[in-house]
Amino acid sequence: MDAMGSMLYEGKAKKIFAAARPDQVVHYFKDDATAFNAEKRGTIVDKGVVNNRVSERLFTLIEEKGIPTHFLKRLSDREMLTKKVAIVPVEVVVRNLVAGSLAKRLGLRVGDAIEPAIVEFYYKNDALGDPLVNDDHLRLMNVATPGVLRELRELAHKVNAVLKPFFDERKMQLVDFKLEFGLFHNKLILADEISPDTCRFWDMETGESMDKDRFRKDMGKIEEAYQEVLKRVCG
Ligand code: UDP
């Protein structure tokens, strides 16, 4: 059945195991938290459980709207079965409001609306610190063709069009988020996770951060924020 095989890869927040079928893998969501290219490390109690469930809900929603994802099913509190993809080493960031590195790099005011939303590409490479890159850089490095980049941008906007109203209804502002895509039988599908680790959410009433920024900036009430996201998304 879904018996877990050997560990194929250990990342900062997840471990990946072989599944019974060669074209599938099992993701195990850890409580380990890192920030600033792993310079800051810590634990967020039950983060793995929250991220697994939140990702399940969001991948299911995105699939329902016709966007293909790697998600197959949640196996347990911390385990998810997915298609096995070849990850495209590009972090695709979508921004609806100014925050984080965008505010810093361009001197823009945090919280200002970005309409229409923008998409940025970061080259996924820990040694280089995931640098911001443009289409030409990715083509130069043979990471992705112009056609693939066009598709990544289109898919990212589509995912935003699904997620933004979903979070609006839950009184959460979807400030920005990071997506990763993979190739499965030569087709680009959404992969990795979508969780408070990879999104910025601001409570619409209070403006408070409900995501990993609480860990990055030592704001306290980190576990509480993750549990509140779980409640609003899956409750
Ligand atoms: N993000 C992520 N992984 C990364 C970098 C960014 O999931 O390695 C997410 C981050 O949580 C935020 C969005 O992408 O929702 C934009 O992040 P930003 O570029 O502002 O970087 P940061 O402030 O994390 O340095």
Side-chain angles (χ1 to χ4, degrees), residues 91 93 95 99-102 120 122 130 176-178 197-200 216:
E91 299 197 337
V93 168
R95 301 183 182 271
S101 68
L102 179 69
E120 297 171 342
Y122 294 82
D130 298 343
D176 55 32
F177 56 96
K178 183 263 300 178
D197 272 14
T198 64
C199 303
R200 280 196 176 91
R216 290 189 188 99

